[in-house]
Amino acid sequence: MPGNLRRRSDGLVEPAANRQSELDVYDGGSNVKTALITGITGQDGSYLSELLLAKGYRVHGIVRRVALEDPDHRMQRIRHLLPRLELHSASLESFASLFQVLARVQPDECYHLAAQSFVSYSFEDEFSTLNTNINGTHHMLAAIKAVAPKCRFYFAASSEMFGKVREAPQNELTAFHPRSAYGISKVAGFELTRNYREAYGLFAASGILYNHESPRRGFEFVTRKITSHVAKIRLGLADKLPLGNLDAKRDWGHARDYVRAMWQMLQQDQPDDFVVATGHAASVQEFAEVAFSCVNLDWRDYVESDPRFFRPAEVQLLLGDARKASRRLGWEPTCGFHELVEEMVRSDLERLEDAGERSEGLAEPMTVPN
Ligand code: GDD
């Protein structure tokens, strides 16, 4: 465990310093809101924590025990925030563990971001994806209903719910046709969230978020796989980039923009569901073209087709219509496609150059098979 963290006898993890006085100095008021984030160690959790801390919230996070046991890797994205966060160990699979955290924290707002979020993996293990994602959401909703019914709840739904799309662009009224256990689990979570809103009066909202990326994206997702390989190839550390379906099109935005929409959804008078997207789609091939061109290389010299990365059922095109979010939340994306790709390539180059200079080897943090 990092030096600035300590584990209390009740299993909570908190900064070694006296954090209450630190927080009081930081937010300085009595009307401080408390937020609880599941999936706080992920890309979105880290950006959302930054946003909420900047707004003066007390931010609590739920993490898995394995994260506490391997904080150097698993808490990398929130390392810089650790002194200002309060982390609790619990499991999405255990209603009792979530119930206890919610009862203790009594959050004003809860952002449920944790999930098995890698679509490819959901073909390898449908059962664990469905169990974790559906039960996890159900447990959170049931626990909130029982012990914190005034808490506003955000569910991270996904454009993968549209799957084999009925129309393009998709909006909040477009019918779902999921193409993977992951997509099915998100439809179930979305419907559970709506049902808790309608049946029990919870303030429960879903964000139907399209692909959102950043330098903090996991290496298993195609954008980060591309930008990390581009950087390695530029530095002479790799010579090929194996990919699957190059024709798939996604509506790619920046994660920092998307967490802002999550927060805005919970500030409304009424809970509702919103599509969050840029309204522009690009193919995997176009992403690779732009990424290689950032370092003056031609993608055709390096990208090779690898059957291992094709999916049994593909989602060919996702393109979102976020006009409702624009109208009702005042939300607009600020980062364009080229800017996003450039930021990711630049960041991967810097990371590898840095690691080289420090002679720490070039192992990728948080690497999983991709
Ligand atoms: N991961 C990966 N690796 N994808 C590849 C590859 C490869 O080598 N080659 C081609 N692709 C294609 C996939 O087949 C898919 O069509 C597209 O690239 C994007 O794949 P991912 O980056 O893995 O993301 P995703 O679209 O499946 O899912 C992401 O976005 C969803 C929102 O639409 C995830 O973040 C989900 O959790 C999220 O809900």
Side-chain angles (χ1 to χ4, degrees), residues 116-120 156-161 182 186 209-213 217 219-225 241-246 248-252 284 306 309-311 314-316 318 370:
Q116 190 303 96
S117 64
F118 187 32
V119 175
S120 266
S158 163
S159 53
E160 277 289 306
M161 302 191 302
Y182 171 81
K186 287 291 173 179
L209 267 52
Y210 282 64
N211 298 49
H212 42 289
E213 319 293 317
R217 189 59 146 146
F219 289 96
E220 65 272 38
F221 299 98
V222 77
T223 55
R224 189 72 195 282
K225 180 177 174 181
L241 166 56
L243 288 175
N245 181 10
L246 295 179
K249 288 190 158 179
R250 291 291 183 274
D251 181 328
W252 273 303
V284 172
D306 188 327
F309 300 114
F310 285 82
R311 297 175 181 179
E314 177 62 287
V315 170
Q316 207 52 45
L318 290 175
N370 55 2

Side-chain angles (χ1 to χ4, degrees), residues 266-280:
L266 296 198
Q267 312 313 310
Q268 302 306 299
D269 292 337
Q270 298 297 326
D272 205 347
D273 306 319
F274 294 89
V275 159
V276 180
T278 67
H280 300 282

Side-chain angles (χ1 to χ4, degrees), residues 72-73 76 219 224 351 362-368:
D72 285 343
H73 281 105
Q76 218 173 61
F219 289 96
R224 189 72 195 282
R351 175 179 59 85
L362 297 167
E364 289 178 348
M366 301 168 296
T367 299
V368 297

Side-chain angles (χ1 to χ4, degrees), residues 39-40 42-49 113 209 212 255 258-259 262:
I40 194 169
Q43 168 188 259
D44 294 3
S46 67
Y47 283 118
L48 181 62
S49 297
L113 313 182
L209 267 52
H212 42 289
Y258 287 43
V259 301
M262 297 176 187

